[in-house]
Amino acid sequence: MPLATNTGAGPSLEKATGRTHAPRKASEARKRRRRQDMGRSDKGSVGFIGLGTMGHEMARNLMKAGHQVTAFDILGSAVDALVAEGAKPAKSPAEAAAGADVAITMLPDTPQVEEVIYGEGGLLASPPAGRLIVDMSTISPAAVRRMHADLKAAGTDFIDAPVSGGPIGAKNAALTIMAGGESEAFARAEPFFRGIGTTITHVGASGAGQAVKLCNQLICGINIQAVCEAIALGRACGVDLEQMRTVLLGGSAASWMLDKLGPAMIAGDAGAGFRIDLMLKDLRLVQEQAQALSVPLPATALVTSQYVEARAHCEGSNGNQALFRVYDRMTNRA
């Protein structure tokens, strides 16, 4: 109910009590300072939205770090699994964010993040108490800048903070976090980042986090392709592939992909991990950004076509290492 205004029918509150607006202004200033300070302490409350392979582990590690987590996902079973570990359940993004110092989203693609921000009962209309939203998905930099502007106009800070390190890094709270947005908002988010990552960097203005993440995915995709090709050639030559991998890891060809995904490729294990479908989405975002800026990326275009081939052969839900099956088919080993 709105507060009644003085209509002139009686004395104002100031005249009746002798008070001025100063205490009210001071009180409002204290509230603003408290709101700005939310998230600065080592412990806080998080509304976490999106409990997929990465999100579940990230939310769990936030709880391990001492933060209170209220969780939402479109899959009730995903929420139930985290509740069993100590989270509070929410029936909507707005309910997850209500009363939280920060709302964190970890979702598959741009449309899902936009729905959480702009949708009915979304975070634009129902922001967290701390007026801070952090999106840790990998989405369009242009969409990030638009959301940032709209939320800022509504009095809410927005940080884009995509991550690298995959499911292994998420499980071990060892993610690399690249964040874009205002410095003050980043400082408020940083205590929460420390619960899920080890390399945490403010890389620039809104959208910069996503730009750096797309460059990361470009390198990862091409590196995975290079590992697949080396294994395909080594196999055709009849060498011991595990021994070859050990040798390569000791030299200049060493890479995270060769180390972490090489064994699965050699063993023919296409199981769960960072999915083919998600990597293909990221490579699409890379190419969209490159085309908008007239930057040629021929190697990225080639590896993207191979990811398309993998998905066409029903590999979309398999882990990234399933790209090696493209080479199995090309060399008649499938």
Side-chain angles (χ1 to χ4, degrees), residues 91-262:
K91 296 181 180 179
S92 69
E95 185 178 330
D101 296 335
V102 59
I104 295 177
T105 54
M106 186 63 178
L107 298 163
D109 203 349
T110 307
Q112 289 81 24
V113 178
E114 290 178 326
E115 177 63 23
V116 166
I117 299 297
Y118 295 109
E120 184 177 352
L123 299 183
L124 181 60
S126 303
R131 292 282 176 172
L132 176 64
I133 298 172
V134 176
D135 176 52
M136 307 193 79
S137 322
T138 301
I139 63 172
S140 161
V144 161
R145 289 189 288 270
R146 182 174 64 253
M147 287 185 278
H148 174 271
D150 292 342
L151 286 162
K152 193 69 177 175
T156 298
D157 290 324
F158 184 72
I159 292 286
D160 57 296
V163 301
S164 180
I168 296 172
K171 183 176 182 178
N172 296 330
L175 292 168
T176 293
I177 301 171
M178 48 216 88
E182 285 93 349
S183 297
E184 182 180 329
F186 171 78
R188 293 171 58 207
E190 191 173 8
F192 300 99
F193 292 154
R194 287 199 295 267
I196 53 181
T198 51
T199 303
I200 302 163
T201 308
H202 182 214
V203 295
S206 178
Q210 294 296 345
V212 173
K213 176 60 186 291
L214 295 185
C215 292
N216 179 87
Q217 296 305 83
L218 178 161
I219 293 171
C220 288
I222 295 172
N223 190 208
I224 291 170
Q225 180 190 28
V227 174
C228 289
E229 293 194 1
I231 290 174
L233 180 59
R235 180 172 62 186
C237 292
V239 301
D240 183 313
L241 295 180
E242 269 299 347
Q243 186 179 61
M244 180 184 81
R245 173 179 163 275
T246 300
V247 171
L248 296 179
L249 284 173
S252 57
S255 71
W256 191 97
M257 296 301 176
L258 180 61
D259 182 26
K260 305 300 184 185
L261 300 187

Side-chain angles (χ1 to χ4, degrees), residues 308-316 318 325-326 329:
V308 170
E309 196 267 10
R311 187 166 70 178
H313 284 85
C314 303
E315 306 278 8
N318 287 332
R325 294 202 184 195
V326 174
R329 288 185 282 273

Side-chain angles (χ1 to χ4, degrees), residues 13 30 46 88 92 95 99 122-123 141 148 173 185 204 214 223 263 265 276 320 330-331:
L13 180 62
R30 284 194 297 271
V46 181
K88 296 179 180 179
S92 69
E95 185 178 330
L123 299 183
H148 174 271
L214 295 185
N223 190 208
M265 293 180 184
I276 288 283
N320 245 328
M330 288 194 294
T331 57

Side-chain angles (χ1 to χ4, degrees), residues 28-111:
E28 290 172 352
R30 284 194 297 271
K31 288 179 181 178
R32 281 196 299 271
R33 284 195 296 270
R34 282 198 300 269
R35 190 177 71 192
Q36 290 168 354
D37 287 339
M38 293 174 84
R40 291 187 188 276
S41 65
D42 288 336
K43 304 294 181 287
S45 56
V46 181
F48 203 101
I49 301 160
L51 302 173
T53 301
M54 299 286 289
H56 180 92
E57 298 294 346
M58 292 162 68
R60 171 192 283 166
N61 283 324
L62 284 167
M63 290 191 294
K64 288 181 179 178
H67 303 294
Q68 288 185 330
V69 172
T70 302
F72 172 77
D73 191 276
I74 58 171
L75 294 177
S77 58
V79 176
D80 292 342
L82 198 67
V83 168
E85 300 181 54
K88 296 179 180 179
K91 296 181 180 179
S92 69
E95 185 178 330
D101 296 335
V102 59
I104 295 177
T105 54
M106 186 63 178
L107 298 163
D109 203 349
T110 307

